[in-house]
């Protein structure tokens, strides 16, 4: 389990190509950490650029979660939930994350 969490944390650093744009979107309250371990738009009508960023980040996460799942005998969903727990801890003040019921919470 510890190895999975370490791998998930390192996966977040692997998103450095998206970090600046993702960081800006999070700073502006446009994107948050969904309770699935993926990112999602916080607004009901995201711009095409935000939708594209969400899709790009989530494609990378999906690939990483799949690798972790296969390696550790878990489902992608289980890996996503583990990643969500870690993402909630790392969410910066003022940024959004979803609680287990799906409600957006500003940290």
């Amino acid at each position: 389990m510890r190895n999975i969490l370490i791998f998930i944390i390192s996966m977040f650093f692997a998103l450095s190509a998206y970090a600046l744009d993702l960081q800006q979107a999070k700073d502006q309250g446009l994107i948050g950490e969904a309770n699935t371990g993926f990112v999602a738009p916080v607004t009901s009508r995201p711009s095409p650029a935000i939708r594209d960023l969400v899709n790009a980040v989530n494609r990378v996460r999906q690939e990483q979660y799949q690798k972790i799942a296969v390696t550790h005998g878990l489902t992608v969903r289980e890996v996503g939930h583990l990643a969500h727990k870690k993402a909630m801890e790392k969410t910066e003040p003022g940024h959004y994350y979803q609680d287990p019921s799906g409600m957006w919470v500003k940290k």
Side-chain angles (χ1 to χ4, degrees), residues 8-30:
I8 289 170
I9 291 168
S10 66
M11 184 269 317
F12 282 112
F13 291 115
L15 293 174
S16 61
Y18 301 109
L20 184 62
D21 291 331
L22 180 59
Q23 185 67 38
Q24 289 174 345
K26 285 182 172 185
D27 289 345
Q28 295 175 27
L30 301 172

